[in-house]
Amino acid sequence: MNKDKVIIFDTTLRDGEQTAGAGLTADEKMRIAKQLAKLKVDVIEAGFAGSSPGDFEAVKRIANEITGPIITTLARALPADIDAAGNALKGVPNSRIHTFLSSSDVHLMHQMKKDREAIMVMAVDAVKRSKDYVDDVEFSPMDATRTDPEYLYAILEEVIEAGATTVNIPDTVGYSNPKEFGDLIKSIKKNVSNIDKAIISVHCHNDLGMATANSLSAVSAGARQIEGCINGLGERAGNAALEEVIMALSTRPSFYNLFTDVNTEEIGTSSRLISSIFGFPIQYNKAIVGQNAFRHSSGIHQDAFLKERTTFEIMEPETVGWRGEALVLGKLSGRAGLRSRLNDLGYNLGDEELNEIFKAFKELADNKRELTDLDLEALMSEQHRISDTQTKFEVKTVKVICGNSSDPNAEILLLCPDGREINANSGGTGPVDAVCKAIDQITKIDVELTEFSVSAVTEGIDSIGEVTIRIEKDGSIYSGRGSDTDIVVASAKAYVNAINRFISIIDQSKKTII
Ligand code: KIV
Ligand code: ZN
């Protein structure tokens, strides 16, 4: 491998799924994995095969159906977890087992309740057992940045001796800073005698907002794999945002002298897809993928920008797939035009799916004169939300009365999983509350709505409204999204989507171990 290449390891489907309130169905995971393959990340961590039967199946399916990236699964340094990982990856040539074990004294004392010698034995045994299944084995000493460096060197040396081909240095609690983390990588290169037999990887969390900076400092110091999630998803404050590290390396080539093989033009689509499926909106000023990332507002900036783009723009928006709001289709566009534009956007539809989308497209075009790529993506997401959940309720009609001169009331017609169409009527504190209460009467599932937000997909009064909802059920949070030019209809769709996702995820007996 070229010594200047940085391997991009995407853990959106594993650490990203540990984001509080996330939780994906198998179909959703598959859809994301396909997009990550188009993005050309080098490694996809597809899940945690030993954590539940649902995750085992999802890892197996992704490993068998996705070509291009190496597919890996996480496994605790325990025989049962490693066997689950090995079985999920059975027969898949391009696969890796990623096994991990805490190494800091605070974890050893309070979490593992084991001494350093016992941990060393477990680490070596885990790597050896993983080698029985695959050649490509990654080992992570969890909480490496708070581990006694001498012990860290020793454990790395032993696992490399046992066959680890990548050693990952996690800043598990986002404690480090760029100078310190870069120095740690240099000291590992100096003090681990067999380090040239393995690739050094880094996995930074963002608790102090330094995950991207720490990852970049590490590659400057000699690491050659960066782990992270699209949109910076992940446990607590998240992981390094992969779009940020990728674009930092590609925007400043003469500073870093490093490169990745990522197809940066797929960044925008990946980010929007993942935001939509996870139900986590992207903050407007988010680097690279926020709505404002390439908007110039001050008159002075605009003036200079119009004279010479580089005065205020360090990246061309097109390099990250920014298509903005270019007009693409309208009311008079036909099926062939829609198919061709969707093809350009990466959606290859069969006739039946095209018919469904064309119907929704025509309805939208009746309400919205100009349809952009962002509108088409919103339509596709809405369509996938309906098809991605196996057991499902579907919103048929929504009728509401609201305003300041009458009591809010909603009438809802839902298609139920058993094929029946059921109608319900309810009042509420407002139209959305009335809609949710009417839906509850039909689903008979007792959930609590904990969060509600609306955003516009494009500018203008006729924009599609995208509603994000979170519901709580038995202590767990499930998100749902819905889009429509009528935001009360979008709210009904989002609420039903959250309920459908709850049912699908429970069916997969999804549970998180770490
Ligand atoms: O943050 C962490 O330490 C992890 C490991 C499992 C790599 O996610
Ligand atoms: Zn992590």
Side-chain angles (χ1 to χ4, degrees), residues 135-189:
D135 290 333
D136 188 350
V137 174
E138 173 168 332
F139 178 80
S140 291
M142 185 152 81
D143 204 17
T145 49
R146 293 193 300 166
T147 298
D148 169 9
E150 293 302 326
Y151 182 59
L152 182 64
Y153 307 146
I155 209 167
L156 293 176
E157 203 158 285
E158 291 292 323
V159 294
I160 293 171
E161 183 59 31
T165 41
T166 298
V167 284
N168 182 38
I169 312 302
D171 184 24
T172 303
V173 289
Y175 179 70
S176 200
N177 62 60
K179 165 87 175 71
E180 186 184 47
F181 198 52
D183 287 348
L184 177 64
I185 301 300
K186 282 186 200 148
S187 78
I188 288 170
K189 282 179 73 103

Side-chain angles (χ1 to χ4, degrees), residues 172-366:
T172 303
V173 289
Y175 179 70
S176 200
N177 62 60
K179 165 87 175 71
E180 186 184 47
F181 198 52
D183 287 348
L184 177 64
I185 301 300
K186 282 186 200 148
S187 78
I188 288 170
K189 282 179 73 103
K190 193 162 146 220
N191 292 294
V192 177
S193 67
N194 52 2
I195 196 69
D196 56 321
K197 296 207 177 78
I199 286 168
I200 303 178
S201 166
V202 289
H203 175 111
C204 298
H205 278 269
N206 206 30
D207 299 65
L208 292 171
M210 283 190 275
T212 297
N214 286 344
S215 306
L216 292 168
S217 172
V219 289
S220 292
R224 285 295 177 269
Q225 174 173 287
I226 295 180
E227 302 191 2
C229 299
I230 299 295
N231 298 340
L233 290 169
E235 187 80 46
R236 303 182 313 281
N239 289 71
L242 279 185
E243 66 278 9
E244 294 176 10
V245 291
I246 293 162
M247 288 316 291
L249 294 174
S250 90
T251 306
R252 302 293 308 278
S254 58
F255 179 81
Y256 292 106
N257 288 308
L258 296 168
F259 69 93
T260 74
D261 282 341
V262 167
N263 176 6
T264 62
E265 289 181 12
E266 289 292 332
I267 285 178
T269 304
S270 309
S271 163
R272 287 191 293 275
L273 179 81
I274 286 164
S275 161
S276 164
I277 292 181
F278 273 77
F280 285 91
I282 301 163
Q283 85 195 48
Y284 276 27
N285 60 332
K286 166 81 184 62
I288 319 293
V289 292
Q291 281 196 22
N292 286 354
F294 295 98
R295 279 191 179 143
H296 304 274
S297 143
S298 122
I300 298 170
H301 289 209
Q302 284 175 351
D303 179 55
F305 174 79
L306 290 172
K307 289 178 179 136
E308 167 53 39
R309 185 190 64 80
T310 55
T311 49
F312 282 95
E313 206 162 78
I314 58 165
M315 295 165 266
E316 288 188 41
E318 294 74 20
T319 57
V320 295
W322 185 256
R323 290 187 296 270
E325 298 183 2
L327 169 67
V328 286
L329 296 172
K331 195 174 168 151
L332 300 177
S333 306
R335 210 174 291 255
L338 178 65
R339 188 198 283 278
S340 144
R341 190 59 206 156
L342 287 172
N343 266 340
D344 292 345
L345 297 178
Y347 300 103
N348 301 311
L349 307 189
D351 288 344
E352 201 180 316
E353 210 182 349
L354 182 71
N355 286 345
E356 291 288 322
I357 276 295
F358 189 64
K359 219 165 74 197
F361 167 79
K362 280 290 179 192
E363 275 165 25
L364 178 60
D366 274 342

Side-chain angles (χ1 to χ4, degrees), residues 20-23 450-451 470-473 475-479:
T450 54
E451 256 180 75
R470 280 186 220 297
I471 56 171
E472 200 171 323
K473 174 80 184 151
S476 294
I477 298 166
Y478 303 88
S479 66

